[in-house]
Amino acid sequence: DHIETPEPKIESNKILSPEETVATPTPIEQSTPVLNTPKKGSTESKKKLKKIPNPKLPVGTVLSIEPWDGVPGQARKIRWNLTGKEGIYRYGGDGGRYDLAHVEVNEKCTRIKKRHPLPESAEQCASRHGFGAERTYSILLRLHSRGNKIVHDGEIERIHDGVLEWPDFGAGIRVECCFHCDGALAITEKELVFGSRDNGWEPRFGQPSFVPGSVMILSPVKATSLASVEDDYISGEDSQE
């Protein structure tokens, strides 16, 4: 009988004889080792899932409304909750700059619930109403017939009281009119006689309230014959318009 011997096997750079057996790892042994994870609800899992508390927000309380650079209502005095320190910060000052924001927070002061929009600055309000833009208004000047004569730098000037009406604003202002010797007329607004005092004056003053003290100077014009007649009428003694 012819007996064949099997050829030796080569595995991992090692020659194995037919009598030797090779143990190969099973698929379970080749898999990744399984970690011993804690079950849900255990104390160890609760410690790992515990959230880090949110830090408290830098919020404070408004104590009073303060001026900024002499402009009233443009700053706020704040006491900070975390430090207890107090300070004055811009809230519309320096041309509409804000160092603070009005917010609503939760009880723990860790989350903002609502953020209020910043109010409109005085400059934005004035621009929205056309302050500084070229406009044309109709006025009506009523003068008292009697006035006073004064001497200023050797020149005689006449002072008349009157009322300047602004139909576009529905208002009348007490004025003092000074007639100069060169024919010019200076009108100084004193106080409001009738009309709204705290509303609707943005196109003229850049703010809702009336501001006294404005001075307008009317100079005579020699362009037409009608202008010369008006100049004589304005500069005439005891004149009325």
Side-chain angles (χ1 to χ4, degrees), residues 39-58:
K39 297 181 179 181
K40 293 184 178 180
S42 62
T43 57
E44 188 177 353
S45 63
K46 288 182 179 180
K47 291 181 180 179
K48 291 183 178 180
L49 296 177
K50 187 177 181 180
K51 294 183 179 180
I52 300 176
N54 295 327
K56 290 188 176 182
L57 298 173

Side-chain angles (χ1 to χ4, degrees), residues 13 51 73 89 95 164 230:
N13 298 328
K51 294 183 179 180
Y89 303 88
L164 182 63
E230 291 179 352

Side-chain angles (χ1 to χ4, degrees), residues 176-191:
E176 181 182 85
C177 300
C178 179
F179 291 89
H180 300 279
C181 60
D182 60 352
L185 171 62
I187 304 174
T188 305
E189 295 181 335
K190 295 295 184 180
E191 59 186 3

Side-chain angles (χ1 to χ4, degrees), residues 7-227:
E7 295 179 1
K9 298 179 181 181
I10 301 176
E11 184 176 346
S12 300
N13 298 328
K14 181 180 179 181
I15 301 176
L16 301 177
S17 62
E19 295 77 14
E20 295 180 358
T21 58
V22 179
T24 58
T26 61
I28 298 178
E29 294 176 351
Q30 291 178 348
S31 61
T32 306
V34 179
L35 298 177
N36 186 17
T37 57
K39 297 181 179 181
K40 293 184 178 180
S42 62
T43 57
E44 188 177 353
S45 63
K46 288 182 179 180
K47 291 181 180 179
K48 291 183 178 180
L49 296 177
K50 187 177 181 180
K51 294 183 179 180
I52 300 176
N54 295 327
K56 290 188 176 182
L57 298 173
V59 295
T61 305
V62 178
L63 302 179
S64 60
I65 300 176
E66 303 291 336
W68 186 270
D69 287 343
V71 182
Q74 299 297 306
R76 300 292 186 269
K77 187 176 182 180
I78 304 297
R79 178 188 291 128
W80 299 105
N81 296 350
L82 295 178
T83 61
K85 295 182 179 181
E86 298 181 4
I88 298 178
Y89 303 88
R90 295 176 299 184
Y91 199 71
D94 288 342
R97 297 182 180 273
Y98 293 87
D99 299 325
L100 309 168
H102 182 198
V103 297
E104 296 180 11
V105 297
N106 57 355
E107 295 182 358
K108 296 182 180 180
C109 296
T110 57
R111 184 173 57 87
I112 296 177
K113 297 169 57 179
K114 183 178 181 181
R115 185 184 297 271
H116 296 271
L118 295 175
E120 187 180 38
S121 65
E123 289 77 11
Q124 292 173 339
C125 179
S127 177
R128 180 166 56 86
H129 287 85
F131 177 70
E134 184 177 354
R135 289 174 175 264
T136 301
Y137 296 107
S138 299
I139 59 174
L140 180 61
L141 179 60
R142 303 179 184 274
L143 295 177
H144 291 290
S145 58
R146 295 182 180 180
N148 299 322
K149 291 184 179 181
I150 61 174
V151 178
H152 181 71
D153 293 339
E155 298 180 352
I156 299 177
E157 298 178 349
R158 291 179 294 109
I159 305 296
H160 290 259
D161 292 333
V163 176
L164 182 63
E165 297 184 11
W166 292 82
D168 296 277
F169 297 91
I173 305 168
R174 186 180 71 83
V175 295
E176 181 182 85
C177 300
C178 179
F179 291 89
H180 300 279
C181 60
D182 60 352
L185 171 62
I187 304 174
T188 305
E189 295 181 335
K190 295 295 184 180
E191 59 186 3
L192 197 66
V193 178
F194 60 88
S196 177
R197 186 181 302 275
D198 301 314
N199 186 32
W201 293 97
E202 290 90 350
R204 280 202 63 197
F205 304 112
Q207 65 177 35
S209 303
F210 169 76
V211 179
S214 298
V215 179
M216 294 175 287
I217 299 178
L218 307 180
S219 300
V221 193
K222 301 292 184 180
T224 62
S225 58
L226 180 59

